[in-house]
Amino acid sequence: MSEEIKMCTVTVQERPRRKLLYLCSKKGEDYLSFCEEMGCEWEGLLNSIPEKMDTAALLELPPQLVKEGCSNIAAGVELPLDYCGEVPEGYALAQLPAGALFYFQSEPYDREEDFCLAIESVQRAVERYRPESFGYRFAPESGPSFNFGAEQETGARVAVPAVKL
């Protein structure tokens, strides 16, 4: 493995009330197990929705969005509150409250095989970050966390819900 990825930027985005279109997993625990169970077509499908607020992501759902018989891992995309489009078979549509998302972005990386290293680096940054210093607290109960994956040119990106203190 190459040298550990060291830089991670953090940006706060206030989000209005919105909708979440998501596909639940029965037993998924991470990206690989989710795709083994549910396939990987979700990314193309969700990213083809013109109204999406950001790209499709693997989600860690709060308890109120976990359907009976499902794990807390899903794939989804945020949509405007007035979204009235189609809900594909097997997907769910829920409303999310207004709130903040803390976006964690790693630096780009040189070697394709460092994909996991980039994501792990961002996850460590999330664990160590103290939003209280800026008047927020992480609020996993208020909405899903988003794992947007990683690409060599842009690095890894994760978004975590937060609320003002």
Side-chain angles (χ1 to χ4, degrees), residues 14 102 130-138 162-165:
E14 292 294 333
F102 273 62
R130 299 293 169 250
E132 297 81 8
S133 302
F134 301 97
Y136 289 87
R137 73 168 176 79
F138 288 140
V163 295
K164 289 186 178 182
L165 294 175

Side-chain angles (χ1 to χ4, degrees), residues 21 45-46 49 51 77 79 83-89 91-93:
L21 179 63
L45 174 69
L46 294 172
I49 299 172
E51 298 91 342
V77 68
L79 301 165
Y83 176 77
C84 303
E86 183 182 333
V87 176
E89 186 177 337
Y91 284 72
L93 192 62

